[in-house]
Amino acid sequence: MFPLGHVGIALGIAFVISRYLRMNLNPKLFIIILGVASVTPDLIDKPTGPLYGLPFGGRLFAHTLVFAFIVMAVCLVLWLRWSKKGTAVSIWPLLFSLGVWVHLLLDLSLEGMGVLLWPAYGVAFPSGELSWGHLTASPYAMAGEVVGAIILVYLLVLLLLGRFALAEREDRPDNG
Ligand SMILES: [Zn+2]
């Protein structure tokens, strides 16, 4: 999967969950945190490929279950700490972790289990056979980009119309 698919689909899933749970979230923070989380594995792995002696574009440690569980553990600790303080920000770490999981899920069908289950098949990572040129060759990646773009446009329209505000409207006391 590629940026539009990752960002759009992660935002869409988190948006549906947040709406369902009627979370009172800041739309701009929501977009920034989910947007960053949804591409975090690529932001880490794409530039660091040469450190492993691999070409740019590979999937490495940040595309493993080990990484996702470490991020989730850190996020859960932050959530527990911030929940005790009763701060409204306690949900952000959970949404960040969700974004990382959605990334791995979307990459799953493109990627063999070797990287995901690292180091079960050995500590060395396979070379980055999935480069940007892969986009035009993969109907799955193309479909993901289109779906992601549609979701992003939809959310952008909601934002411009002032209808993005998740649960804020429903929870706000009626002054009328
Ligand atoms: Zn990736």
Side-chain angles (χ1 to χ4, degrees):
M1 194 67 68
F2 294 84
L4 278 180
H6 278 307
V7 174
I9 293 170
L11 272 171
I13 290 172
F15 184 79
V16 169
I17 292 173
S18 303
R19 276 261 158 131
Y20 182 74
L21 296 176
R22 294 182 155 243
M23 291 185 209
N24 187 10
L25 303 173
N26 177 315
K28 280 177 192 157
L29 260 181
F30 179 84
I31 291 170
I32 291 169
I33 289 174
L34 258 303
V36 171
S38 66
V39 291
T40 289
D42 285 349
L43 288 178
I44 294 173
D45 281 351
K46 303 283 182 200
T48 52
L51 294 178
Y52 296 80
L54 299 170
F56 180 87
R59 292 198 172 118
L60 306 161
F61 180 67
H63 282 79
T64 64
L65 285 180
V66 175
F67 175 80
F69 277 116
I70 289 172
V71 170
M72 191 168 80
V74 171
C75 289
L76 281 174
V77 169
L78 287 176
W79 172 67
L80 283 172
R81 283 181 156 229
W82 293 350
S83 294
K84 279 180 193 162
K85 289 180 191 166
T87 74
V89 296
S90 61
I91 199 68
W92 297 122
L94 295 186
L95 287 175
F96 186 89
S97 178
L98 174 72
V100 171
W101 278 106
V102 170
H103 184 107
L104 294 196
L105 204 72
L106 291 174
D107 275 0
L108 202 57
S109 56
L110 289 176
E111 182 65 36
M113 288 288 138
V115 173
L116 189 72
L117 297 178
W118 180 90
Y121 295 93
V123 287
F125 287 101
S127 67
E129 72 281 9
L130 296 166
S131 64
W132 295 102
H134 183 75
L135 178 60
T136 50
S138 165
Y140 169 77
M142 288 288 279
E145 291 301 279
V146 171
V147 170
I150 290 170
I151 293 172
L152 285 176
V153 169
Y154 174 72
L155 294 179
L156 186 69
V157 170
L158 286 186
L159 197 64
L160 291 173
L161 293 176
R163 314 242 347 134
F164 192 94
L166 299 169
E168 268 175 281
R169 285 167 192 283
E170 292 89 330
D171 291 341
R172 199 177 291 154
D174 192 356
N175 297 324

